[in-house]
Amino acid sequence: MDEGTILQIGSGHALRFERHLPHPIEKVWAALTDPAQFAQWLASGEIDLRAGGRARLRHADGTSMVDGRVTAAEPPRLIEYHWATQDGDGGPVRWELFEEDGGTRLVFTHMLADPLAYLLALAGWHTILDSLAFWFAGGAPAGRPTWEQLHDGYTRRYAKITRIDDAKVRETANGIEVRFERYLNHPVEKVWAALTDPTRLAEWLAPGEVELCAGGRIHLRFENTGDALDGEILAVAAPTLLEYTWHGAGEGSVRWELSEYAIGTRLVLTHTLPSSAPRESYLAGWHTHLELLGSTLEGRPLPWPWERWQELRDYYLGLAAPR
């Protein structure tokens, strides 16, 4: 089975791939551990095959990609090391080899702590493992799936299972805080334009006007409900931060934060609301609008889907119900 799976282990998750490679175990082991060989399909670098040894990989420009420590090595069957990058410890990656009829079964596992990384890493490791197989075969076939195609497929398969799209709700002294986090396969500047350009806003949120400066006015007209937002810009730092008050259609403030992540953008939306606000309606509303944002960025703006909003409202009501 070439596709990766997500396994729940305790409170975390692991990504797991199994691949059959029609080669002896020693040959596969060498491909995983010999710098001259893994440079052909993974990255240049070196791995010290001792517990505590360094595992270093470099980008094509020579800068550091991974600088971790080996936690287990049993030639020619097991190598495990931490996928430590400049952004922090990405968790251990484990390569296990088993002899089987006609070659070797490779079992790859990556423990991850960041839920946003699950789907990115599935597409990434799928691509890397394909590259290993193609290197053994002497070349990639025509029609090889792209990273973007793989990411879209894994998103459709696992987004609901992992619930990475769900809002996080936190009680505060002044009410509640609703937080959404998304990975968008587009540059930060493109996402920023969708948040601030009135023409783009009308395609996924609401028509209106934005004075993009501290103290400026933001006015949005929600045609799906007839509500209007008249707010004030509290903070703006293009292209990474926008915060404004939320009046007319509710209370509190809305804060958008963008940062580069992998080959796209991490978006964090935080909306503070009074405790009396209809939270499930807001949760369903923002969840739906963020789905529309994704479609708009892909060049496929869609009309407001009331059925989807109702489905999500019922879903969040179910999560809040006593058990």
Side-chain angles (χ1 to χ4, degrees):
M1 180 178 179
D2 286 350
E3 287 195 352
T5 57
I6 299 179
L7 306 176
Q8 185 161 359
I9 300 178
S11 59
H13 289 81
L15 313 183
R16 187 175 190 272
F17 287 85
E18 282 195 38
R19 295 288 179 95
H20 172 79
L21 298 168
H23 305 283
I25 193 170
E26 292 80 9
K27 184 174 182 179
V28 179
W29 176 258
L32 299 182
T33 59
D34 177 6
Q37 296 192 46
F38 64 68
Q40 303 301 312
W41 61 273
L42 178 59
S44 63
E46 52 276 334
I47 300 176
D48 182 348
L49 294 176
R50 297 174 295 176
R54 293 181 76 177
R56 292 185 286 190
L57 299 173
R58 290 181 285 275
H59 293 289
D61 63 2
T63 58
S64 177
M65 181 169 74
V66 172
D67 192 350
R69 294 288 176 178
V70 173
T71 50
E74 300 174 12
R77 302 184 183 279
L78 169 66
I79 178 73
E80 180 181 276
Y81 48 88
H82 274 257
W83 196 260
T85 70
Q86 293 179 343
D87 295 326
D89 186 354
V93 296
R94 184 178 181 92
W95 307 81
E96 298 175 89
L97 303 180
F98 303 89
E99 293 177 288
E100 62 182 13
D101 290 343
T104 301
R105 177 164 56 96
L106 181 154
V107 178
F108 172 82
T109 309
H110 187 178
M111 287 289 297
L112 284 168
D114 182 0
L116 193 65
Y118 298 160
L119 304 178
L120 299 174
L122 277 170
W125 284 117
H126 191 131
T127 302
I128 288 170
L129 291 169
D130 281 353
S131 295
L132 171 61
F134 299 152
W135 177 69
F136 273 130
R144 173 185 180 179
T146 65
W147 181 93
E148 290 79 8
Q149 290 170 329
L150 291 167
H151 180 259
D152 288 346
Y154 282 119
T155 299
R156 287 192 298 270
R157 181 176 176 185
Y158 283 117
K160 289 185 178 180
I161 295 174
T162 59
R163 292 171 56 179
I164 61 171
D165 283 351
D166 283 9
K168 308 298 186 293
V169 181
R170 184 172 67 91
E171 304 288 341
T172 70
N174 299 317
I176 59 174
E177 179 184 274
V178 172
R179 186 176 189 272
F180 287 90
E181 192 168 350
R182 292 289 188 274
Y183 171 76
L184 299 167
N185 188 29
H186 301 277
V188 166
E189 292 78 10
K190 183 176 181 179
V191 180
W192 177 257
L195 299 183
T196 58
D197 180 344
T199 302
R200 304 305 307 277
L201 275 170
E203 295 178 328
W204 67 274
L205 184 59
E209 300 82 39
V210 182
E211 295 175 354
L212 206 56
C213 60
R217 174 175 174 261
I218 178 168
H219 178 74
L220 299 175
R221 300 175 295 278
F222 292 87
E223 296 176 341
N224 55 323
T225 62
D227 292 329
L229 161 67
D230 251 318
E232 177 186 346
I233 304 291
L234 299 176
V236 57
T240 58
L241 172 66
L242 177 64
E243 183 175 9
Y244 45 83
T245 57
W246 189 263
H247 296 301
E251 298 294 337
S253 64
V254 169
R255 183 179 179 91
W256 302 89
E257 297 171 88
L258 306 180
S259 58
E260 293 183 358
Y261 190 84
I263 61 172
T265 300
R266 180 197 290 263
L267 177 151
V268 178
L269 162 65
T270 307
H271 190 170
T272 59
L273 291 162
S275 300
S276 58
R279 69 174 68 184
E280 287 78 20
S281 295
Y282 274 104
L283 291 169
W286 280 122
H287 196 136
T288 305
H289 279 298
L290 289 171
E291 291 182 348
L292 295 177
L293 170 61
S295 296
T296 295
L297 291 169
E298 295 293 336
R300 299 179 289 104
L302 300 171
W304 176 258
W306 275 113
E307 290 185 1
R308 177 60 173 158
W309 177 86
Q310 187 63 58
E311 175 190 358
L312 286 165
R313 183 173 180 275
D314 292 344
Y315 171 71
Y316 282 116
L317 281 168
L319 291 181
R323 300 184 186 277

